[in-house]
Amino acid sequence: MLRRTGLHNDVAKVLVSEEELRDKTRELGKLLTKEYKGLDPIFVCVLKGSVHFFSDLVREFEDYCEIDFLSSSAYGDGTVNTGVVKIIKDLDKNITNRHVILVEDIMDSGVTLNYLTNMLAARNPASLKIVTLLDKPERRRCAIQPDYCGFIVPDEFVVGYGLDYAQLYRNLPYVGVLKTELIEK
Ligand code: IMP
Ligand code: MG
């Protein structure tokens, strides 16, 4: 990483503040509680990026639910999707006849979620929906849309609240744009 100057100082601007993240997570939690009441859904955390959003969201879900984790990778340490999706850790649970809610940090090209939803749909869940904290619809390369979305963001590389650049910045409590001089071309 080139010329880093301190965790917060590396951020050019904050796109989504801590307060906005809290309010939106609460709103989505309420909505999901209404829609999934009595269905004992399984919330699936797509590691690692959605870790904070997932943890905040499931605690706003006010009914019985289970949680599970999936880890895939589409990116190296750069900012461009290679188009290759690798499953690093599959679900522990059998999802057949269960209501599944995939929780993502961001939808960019859509390649990752297109692959993951096809893979999970083949296991015959009762339903399968996507909730993403952030969406960059301008960059979509697959015909896939989130069922629930927190915020639409512009076509800029964002970090924080789980999202990384070269595995750093996941611990920022807000979502921000990195200073361009820090991104290796
Ligand atoms: P997609 O397959 O191109 O939709 O990319 C999905 C994954 O790429 C996300 O789950 C993120 O982990 C990562 N990603 C996409 N855009 C960004 C970004 O702006 N910042 C950090 N990670 C990103
Ligand atoms: Mg992700």
Side-chain angles (χ1 to χ4, degrees):
M1 165 105 28
L2 309 165
R3 294 185 293 279
R4 62 189 206 188
T5 58
L7 189 64
H8 296 281
N9 203 44
D10 289 349
V11 176
K13 63 178 181 227
V14 174
L15 269 188
V16 190
S17 70
E18 286 187 67
E19 195 186 354
E20 290 170 314
L21 288 167
R22 204 171 325 116
D23 290 349
K24 184 60 78 175
T25 308
R26 201 157 287 165
E27 180 191 320
L28 287 169
K30 279 215 174 82
L31 182 62
L32 290 169
T33 304
K34 233 189 254 163
E35 304 213 347
Y36 286 87
K37 207 157 193 62
L39 297 179
D40 291 19
I42 305 176
F43 283 87
V44 173
C45 175
V46 183
L47 292 168
K48 301 171 187 159
S50 69
V51 61
H52 304 308
F53 176 48
F54 179 83
S55 156
D56 288 343
L57 183 68
V58 294
R59 284 179 293 169
E60 296 292 343
F61 185 77
E62 301 223 20
D63 198 15
Y64 298 102
C65 69
E66 294 180 45
I67 63 172
D68 204 345
F69 299 86
L70 188 68
S71 181
S72 73
S73 131
Y75 282 63
D77 277 349
T79 62
V80 182
N81 194 326
T82 55
V84 180
V85 178
K86 213 169 52 176
I87 299 297
I88 296 163
K89 187 217 165 287
D90 204 339
L91 296 177
D92 295 334
K93 299 282 315 171
N94 178 358
I95 59 165
T96 303
N97 296 326
R98 300 294 305 270
H99 293 277
V100 177
I101 305 163
L102 263 183
V103 183
E104 253 289 26
D105 51 356
I106 187 165
M107 276 183 86
D108 186 31
S109 69
V111 169
T112 309
L113 277 182
N114 195 47
Y115 183 91
L116 294 180
T117 50
N118 284 335
M119 179 183 93
L120 297 180
R123 301 177 191 180
N124 298 314
S127 71
L128 177 59
K129 286 200 177 175
I130 299 169
V131 49
T132 187
L133 175 67
L134 308 173
D135 189 9
K136 276 189 204 166
E138 280 171 60
R139 301 207 358 129
R140 200 73 90 252
R141 284 197 279 138
C142 300
I144 184 165
Q145 299 302 337
D147 298 285
Y148 309 93
C149 168
F151 303 92
I152 305 276
V153 290
D155 181 10
E156 289 180 289
F157 198 79
V158 298
V159 293
Y161 197 59
L163 291 132
D164 74 302
Y165 174 64
Q167 297 305 324
L168 299 175
Y169 305 103
R170 293 192 196 274
N171 56 326
L172 286 174
Y174 48 81
V175 174
V177 180
L178 269 192
K179 290 180 178 165
T180 45
E181 64 266 29
L182 285 160
I183 297 185
E184 286 179 58
K185 294 284 179 300

